[in-house]
Amino acid sequence: MVLMTLKPWLAISILFSFFISNVIGAFVGINIGTDVTNLPPASDVVALLKARQITHVRLFNADAHMLNALANTSIEVIIGVTNEEVLGIGESPSTAAAWVNRNVAAYMPGTNITAIAVGSEVLTAIPNAAPVLVPAMNYLHKALVASRLNNQVKVSTPQSMDVIAKAFPPSTATFNSSWNSTIFQILQFLRNTNSYYMLNAYPYYEYVHSDGIFPIEYALFQPLSAVKQIVDPNTLFHYVSMFDALVDATYNSIEALNFSDIPVVVTETGWPWAGGSN
Ligand SMILES: *[C@@H]1O[C@H](CO)[C@@H](O)[C@H](O)[C@H]1NC(C)=O
Ligand SMILES: *[C@@H]1O[C@H](CO)[C@@H](O)[C@H](O)[C@H]1NC(C)=O
Ligand SMILES: *[C@@H]1O[C@H](CO)[C@@H](O)[C@H](O)[C@H]1NC(C)=O
Ligand SMILES: *[C@@H]1O[C@H](CO)[C@@H](O)[C@H](O)[C@H]1NC(C)=O
Ligand SMILES: *[C@@H]1O[C@H](CO)[C@@H](O)[C@H](O)[C@H]1NC(C)=O
């Protein structure tokens, strides 16, 4: 990271939207968890999504009410295997097949399920489940193949930025080498099944852990003054947003393991509604 004067910021936006628009299309969606106490009825949630013209949702768990309510809408749905379910699925193809039948096949084609997110930040949240993560993805994919749903429904697994050892500057980012073999298997799976890397990218965490190196505007998508420009010294890309830098760090980490054709989709981002403790 270098502080420099203002220059047109171009290279990153082309790279980013090129990848996204050719493979998946740029969109903004929302995540919905149903383990909260005050969630309105599923039909009200879907009415709200429609009113706000939200075209993509990710359900943290395969909630039957939401899956039903999303039927016959044009909303695309990523459904989640919970971390609690990953172990059982990774140890048993028949558990995986039952999961797909119950939570995916039963709702299609009415509900437009486009992906299964296997666990949530498994490598860093429940590292002891790492050995079963890729088997779980494989078993779910095989179950989709058996149900002839594998062309519509991708399988992937959202990871946090913590699997990347050093995200800045983005050009030299690599995965934490402790995770080499699992990440390598994940990337092989994603490439072989034409799936994509799911990234949970929170500028908030990078900002609070950066000891004041980054200006707050950089984390909040706000304009940076000329003296605060963030530049990657190797590529000379000017980053106006930490979000973009996190996405590029992920692309570069993937490329460092010699996988260049795997799109990155951000499955979570956000900011604490009441701010951090400080
Ligand atoms: C979706 O539409 C189909 C065809 O009109 C209908 O048979 C089905 O009951 C609808 N599903 C839901 C959950 O509304
Ligand atoms: C479901 O989503 C896919 C992927 O974007 C899209 O191609 C397809 O048209 C959608 N299907 C329906 C019925 O909306
Ligand atoms: C890499 O991961 C290991 C194991 O989780 C952890 O102890 C280490 O601090 C991480 N290194 C970096 C640079 O994040
Ligand atoms: C992980 O992969 C990187 C890049 O190929 C390599 O430098 C590193 O030694 C590997 N680490 C382990 C623990 O295998
Ligand atoms: C990636 O490919 C380069 C060039 O072929 C090779 O030198 C390097 O060792 C490879 N890295 C990994 C992690 O396989």
Side-chain angles (χ1 to χ4, degrees):
M1 186 205 57
V2 178
L3 304 183
M4 280 179 59
T5 50
L6 190 70
K7 264 195 191 172
W9 173 78
L10 201 57
I12 294 305
S13 74
I14 290 172
L15 175 74
F16 181 65
S17 60
F18 171 84
F19 242 103
I20 294 285
S21 64
N22 273 331
V23 183
I24 290 171
F27 57 83
V28 175
I30 68 161
N31 289 285
I32 301 174
T34 52
D35 57 348
V36 293
T37 50
N38 57 351
L39 196 72
S43 54
D44 291 1
V45 174
V46 171
L48 184 62
L49 295 171
K50 286 188 193 158
R52 300 286 177 200
Q53 296 174 320
I54 300 291
T55 55
H56 293 70
V57 299
R58 168 173 166 228
L59 304 177
F60 284 119
N61 56 344
D63 181 77
H65 298 294
M66 281 302 303
L67 285 165
N68 272 321
L70 286 161
N72 298 336
T73 67
S74 54
I75 297 171
E76 294 178 27
V77 183
I78 298 176
I79 65 169
V81 170
T82 64
N83 281 355
E84 292 71 30
E85 293 170 314
V86 169
L87 211 56
I89 290 174
E91 284 170 346
S92 159
S94 61
T95 304
W99 197 96
V100 164
N101 286 335
R102 187 171 65 248
N103 300 312
V104 182
Y107 297 98
M108 290 184 74
T111 304
N112 201 357
I113 298 171
T114 57
I116 301 174
V118 183
S120 174
E121 306 185 356
V122 166
L123 299 185
T124 44
I126 45 167
N128 59 330
V132 297
L133 179 57
V134 175
M137 295 168 78
N138 260 314
Y139 295 152
L140 289 164
H141 177 71
K142 291 205 167 96
L144 290 167
V145 171
S147 304
R148 299 186 189 186
L149 292 172
N150 56 301
N151 286 332
Q152 291 117 286
V153 186
K154 302 298 178 193
V155 176
S156 187
T157 177
Q159 298 305 331
S160 82
M161 280 303 295
D162 291 342
V163 298
I164 291 174
K166 187 169 162 287
F168 296 92
S171 59
T172 57
T174 54
F175 288 109
N176 181 331
S177 65
S178 319
W179 297 116
N180 269 13
S181 81
T182 309
I183 295 277
F184 190 83
Q185 289 170 44
I186 291 172
L187 296 177
Q188 269 185 322
F189 173 88
L190 299 177
R191 186 175 59 192
N192 291 344
T193 59
N194 288 318
S195 185
Y196 51 87
Y197 187 93
M198 292 180 168
L199 168 66
N200 291 355
Y202 286 90
Y204 173 76
Y205 292 120
E206 305 295 325
Y207 174 74
V208 295
H209 294 145
S210 70
D211 297 325
I213 295 171
F214 299 115
I216 185 77
E217 297 88 343
Y218 180 57
L220 284 174
F221 297 89
Q222 290 170 353
L224 291 173
S225 73
V227 293
K228 288 179 173 174
Q229 292 296 300
I230 310 293
V231 179
D232 186 314
N234 303 309
T235 57
L236 300 183
F237 288 166
H238 288 237
Y239 286 90
V240 297
S241 153
M242 186 186 270
F243 181 89
D244 295 340
L246 297 177
V247 172
D248 273 11
T250 305
Y251 274 114
N252 287 321
S253 300
I254 292 172
E255 268 166 32
L257 291 176
N258 286 344
F259 292 84
S260 55
D261 44 3
I262 298 174
V264 173
V265 170
V266 176
T267 37
E268 270 179 53
T269 188
W271 198 267
W273 70 273
S277 54
N278 57 359

